[in-house]
Amino acid sequence: MVGREYGRVYAWDRVNAPMIRHWCEIMGIDNPLYTNPEFARQQGYADVVAPPGMLQVWGMGGLDQENFPEGSSTENNFEVLKVIEPHGYPAVVAVNSDLYFDRQIVAGERLYFTSRLDSVSEEKTTPLGTGFFVTVLMTYFSQQDAGDEEVGRQLFRVFKFKPAQRPQEKPAAKPAEAKAMKRPLPGVSDDTRFFWEGCEAGKLLIQRCTDCQTLRHPPAPVCIKCHSFDWDSIEASGKGQLYSFVVMHYPEVPPFDYPNPIGLIELDEGVRLIAGLVGADPATLEIGQRVQVEFHRFDDQQNLPQFRVVAA
């Protein structure tokens, strides 16, 4: 099946400014080339440009992944997975995606992609299990009156595998050496020493440029706005909101407790930092929840800022 080609899959919509704006907002990108038509025309484009990283977005089916516009191919470009599965390889996980861009894509263009099964590896054994790496190449085109033009490619790779067998029950007790393990100490440099010294004093210190008053975190030697080398610090209120979070489940690394919720905290002062979340049921965490800093001492050697969800 390697080398088999699959027909066109059309984009639901032309490349358009609203989708570009939403994508930029979510990704935190502020580039007038993507959102300001006048600026884009000054750079020689007919309209705003789509960020290159959006290439795959235009060809997605939506919430129903197989829901494509009329005229699109109904073939499954990963049909080889169904061939492999009956031989004892039930699981699949996406591994990586490589994108290649030929040129900028401008609002108003209509895209489609075709696919080719690029490769199926020999059987491989990984920590997840034993199986096959399957790679599909999607080639993206822009429909043009003078002839469709290739604009980019995407290599998408998945692992079709038989899960490795794991013990059903955890050991009754953790090894003594695991219990004795201490949290790793943070790396301290001339740029960050003030922050950790503040933690030892129970203060959440944020670096501030003394020339333009811009706050920045993580600490850095140069202002990200005016490029000044002069700075001091302010003590933050420790109040903020949960901008995003993850919950670590596996692998379990001593001496941390699991599940281990970790938050990206947006402080009321406007900067963000990463910290553990304490007293939180991972199932109840929601983006936007108010949080308050607490300092907790570990192993009698470090005082760390962690955050607790509080009432709005």
Side-chain angles (χ1 to χ4, degrees), residues 57-117:
V57 174
W58 305 110
M60 288 181 169
L63 292 179
D64 180 355
Q65 297 182 12
E66 303 305 321
N67 181 29
F68 294 107
E70 183 178 354
S72 297
S73 171
T74 59
E75 300 173 299
N76 179 358
N77 55 4
F78 274 99
E79 64 175 336
V80 68
L81 301 183
K82 295 297 182 183
V83 176
I84 296 173
E85 187 169 318
H87 297 276
Y89 304 88
V92 63
V93 62
V95 178
N96 67 286
S97 176
D98 300 336
L99 291 169
Y100 304 87
F101 314 110
D102 294 329
R103 67 163 174 81
Q104 301 278 27
I105 298 172
V106 180
E109 295 191 70
R110 189 66 177 270
L111 305 185
Y112 67 85
F113 69 85
T114 61
S115 304
R116 174 172 56 84
L117 179 59

Side-chain angles (χ1 to χ4, degrees), residues 110-130:
R110 189 66 177 270
L111 305 185
Y112 67 85
F113 69 85
T114 61
S115 304
R116 174 172 56 84
L117 179 59
D118 186 71
S119 66
V120 178
S121 74
E122 298 295 324
E123 188 179 58
K124 305 285 186 180
T125 297
T126 76
L128 284 177
T130 299

Side-chain angles (χ1 to χ4, degrees), residues 15-269:
V15 176
N16 63 86
M19 287 179 64
I20 294 173
R21 177 170 56 83
H22 294 162
W23 193 90
C24 288
E25 287 179 357
I26 292 171
M27 302 300 288
I29 294 176
D30 182 15
N31 186 335
L33 186 63
Y34 303 150
T35 55
N36 187 325
E38 182 178 352
F39 180 87
R41 284 191 284 269
Q42 291 173 355
Q43 311 310 310
Y45 298 99
D47 205 335
V48 292
V49 169
M54 285 188 74
L55 181 63
Q56 181 185 9
V57 174
W58 305 110
M60 288 181 169
L63 292 179
D64 180 355
Q65 297 182 12
E66 303 305 321
N67 181 29
F68 294 107
E70 183 178 354
S72 297
S73 171
T74 59
E75 300 173 299
N76 179 358
N77 55 4
F78 274 99
E79 64 175 336
V80 68
L81 301 183
K82 295 297 182 183
V83 176
I84 296 173
E85 187 169 318
H87 297 276
Y89 304 88
V92 63
V93 62
V95 178
N96 67 286
S97 176
D98 300 336
L99 291 169
Y100 304 87
F101 314 110
D102 294 329
R103 67 163 174 81
Q104 301 278 27
I105 298 172
V106 180
E109 295 191 70
R110 189 66 177 270
L111 305 185
Y112 67 85
F113 69 85
T114 61
S115 304
R116 174 172 56 84
L117 179 59
D118 186 71
S119 66
V120 178
S121 74
E122 298 295 324
E123 188 179 58
K124 305 285 186 180
T125 297
T126 76
L128 284 177
T130 299
F132 304 88
F133 289 94
V134 177
T135 305
V136 168
L137 173 65
M138 281 87 84
T139 304
Y140 289 80
F141 297 88
S142 174
Q143 293 179 277
Q144 305 286 335
D145 292 338
D148 297 348
E149 180 182 359
E150 181 178 325
V151 294
R153 294 164 305 287
Q154 178 185 19
L155 271 174
F156 196 88
R157 184 172 293 114
V158 301
F159 185 45
K160 188 66 172 170
F161 64 100
K162 180 189 305 178
Q165 296 298 315
R166 295 194 179 100
Q168 296 300 312
E169 296 183 0
K170 295 182 179 179
K174 294 183 179 180
E177 61 269 20
K179 291 183 179 179
M181 290 187 66
K182 296 182 178 181
R183 285 189 175 225
L185 292 171
V188 179
S189 68
D190 290 340
D191 296 322
T192 64
R193 183 170 288 105
F194 80 95
F195 178 81
W196 300 114
E197 289 176 348
C199 291
E200 283 299 310
K203 298 179 180 180
L204 187 61
L205 300 182
I206 303 299
Q207 196 176 44
R208 177 178 62 181
C209 174
T210 55
D211 286 343
C212 69
Q213 305 301 301
T214 297
L215 300 179
R216 60 182 187 261
H217 189 87
V222 181
C223 177
I224 58 177
K225 187 174 182 180
C226 73
H227 302 159
S228 170
F229 285 87
D230 298 324
W231 61 270
D232 60 7
S233 63
I234 65 166
E235 182 178 356
S237 66
K239 298 177 181 179
Q241 65 174 345
L242 195 56
Y243 186 84
S244 185
F245 67 92
V246 296
V247 180
M248 304 296 294
H249 293 275
Y250 184 86
E252 294 188 0
V253 179
F256 300 97
D257 296 324
Y258 290 85
N260 183 14
I262 300 170
L264 177 57
I265 311 301
E266 184 168 74
L267 297 175
D268 289 347
E269 289 76 11

